[in-house]
Amino acid sequence: MKFLNPLRQAVLLKRYKRFLADVQLVNGEVITIHCPNTGAMTGCAESGMKIWMSDSSNPKRKYRYTWELAQTNNGDMICVNTHRANQLAGEALDSNIVPALSDLANLVAERKYGYDNRRIDWCAEDAVGQTVFIEVKSVTLAEGAQGFFPDTVSKRAVDHLRSLQDMKSDGHRAVVLYVVMHEGIKNVQAAHHLDAKYAAMAAQAEAFGVEFYALSCDISEHGITPTGLLPMNK
C-alpha cells in the first residue's frame, strides 16, 4: 500500500475526544487533525512523538488532515489509522503471504453473514471450495517486543469471535488475521491483562477450530508493505 500523496510531518501535542489530535507543524503552527483510531492507543499517542498525516485536499472537511503514522523514541514506526488494516490484509491475501491462506479465490470485502447481517472483513473460497471468513484486527499495543490485542476492553471483538465460531459450526473456515501495525512487535497474543473475556473467548475459538494468524508489516512515510507472519503466543 502506497500513500497516494506525500504525508506531512508534525509533532503530536495531545490526542483527545478519541477522534481529535492537536499537532505542531514544522513551521510552528498548531492545528487540529482527525484521529482515525477509537482504541486506547497506549504507547502510540505520547506528547512529543513525531507523526505523519495525510491531506484530504477537501476544503469542506472540518479537519483537513488525518493522522496516519507515529514514531516511537527508539525509531519504531506505527500506523495508527486502523482503517488501513483491511487494505493491508487484502494485499497480503492477494500476494499469498499467509501460507495457510495462499489458495484463496474470489476474495470479497465486507460480506454480510448470519442472522444479524454482521459484516465480515474478507470472504473467499479455498482450493476445496470451502468458504473462508476472515476477521481483521489491527495490533498496535507493544510491551517490549510483545504485541497484544485488544488494547482495551472490547465487547465488539468478543462478539466477532462468537460469530466466527458460528461460521465454523456452519461448516466454513473462520480466521482471525491480526495485522501488526507496530514495527517493534515481534510476537502477538491476546491481552489477558486488559480484556480477560476476549482472551478466554480467543482460546475457546481456537480450540473450536478458528484459525489465528499475525501479519507483520514494513511501515514508512511512503507506504506500508505486508511482509510475513509473526509467532502467536498463548
Side-chain angles (χ1 to χ4, degrees):
M1 184 208 81
K2 300 295 183 184
F3 293 112
L4 297 179
N5 298 305
L7 299 185
R8 189 168 182 181
Q9 186 177 319
V11 173
L12 178 67
L13 298 179
K14 63 178 179 178
R15 179 240 187 170
Y16 57 103
K17 295 183 179 178
R18 297 176 69 192
F19 297 106
L20 301 178
D22 287 346
V23 303
Q24 185 173 40
L25 305 180
V26 176
N27 64 7
E29 181 185 359
V30 175
I31 63 171
T32 300
I33 65 175
H34 173 61
C35 176
N37 189 319
T38 61
M41 293 183 68
T42 304
C44 304
E46 306 300 320
S47 177
M49 269 186 164
K50 185 185 294 184
I51 69 106
W52 286 263
M53 53 195 182
S54 57
D55 186 350
S56 69
S57 299
N58 181 358
K60 295 183 179 181
R61 266 188 55 167
K62 185 174 182 180
Y63 302 107
R64 171 175 171 175
Y65 294 98
T66 297
W67 186 1
E68 298 284 350
L69 309 177
Q71 187 176 43
T72 65
N73 288 335
N74 63 2
D76 291 325
M77 296 292 285
I78 309 166
C79 177
V80 303
N81 187 344
T82 57
H83 302 299
R84 301 291 185 185
N86 279 7
Q87 182 179 354
L88 292 165
E91 290 183 7
L93 295 169
D94 275 338
S95 302
N96 301 323
I97 290 175
V98 182
L101 304 174
S102 62
D103 61 349
L104 300 186
N106 303 320
L107 194 65
V108 177
E110 298 289 331
R111 177 171 165 179
K112 292 183 178 180
Y113 182 87
Y115 70 92
D116 57 354
N117 279 326
R118 187 181 302 278
R119 289 184 183 273
I120 193 74
D121 293 314
W122 291 97
C123 179
E125 293 181 2
D126 64 16
V128 297
Q130 195 171 22
T131 303
V132 184
F133 291 98
I134 303 165
E135 181 70 29
V136 177
K137 300 297 184 188
S138 173
V139 180
T140 58
L141 176 59
E143 295 183 7
Q146 183 64 58
F148 291 98
F149 182 88
D151 65 359
T152 189
V153 173
S154 178
K155 180 181 181 299
R156 185 168 179 266
V158 172
D159 289 342
H160 287 162
L161 291 177
R162 290 196 181 99
S163 291
L164 290 171
Q165 288 188 71
D166 289 344
M167 295 166 188
K168 186 67 180 175
S169 294
D170 290 342
H172 308 304
R173 286 177 66 186
V175 176
V176 175
L177 182 59
Y178 294 117
V179 178
V180 179
M181 310 276 263
H182 189 309
E183 288 188 325
I185 292 175
K186 305 304 178 186
N187 299 275
V188 176
Q189 71 180 60
H192 304 76
H193 57 313
L194 297 176
D195 191 341
K197 287 185 178 179
Y198 177 85
M201 184 60 70
Q204 176 181 309
E206 186 172 23
F208 200 75
V210 176
E211 304 166 47
F212 288 78
Y213 306 105
L215 180 69
S216 63
C217 296
D218 285 341
I219 304 170
S220 79
E221 61 188 281
H222 305 294
I224 307 173
T225 305
T227 56
L229 293 184
L230 292 175
M232 293 286 303
N233 293 339
K234 302 298 182 182

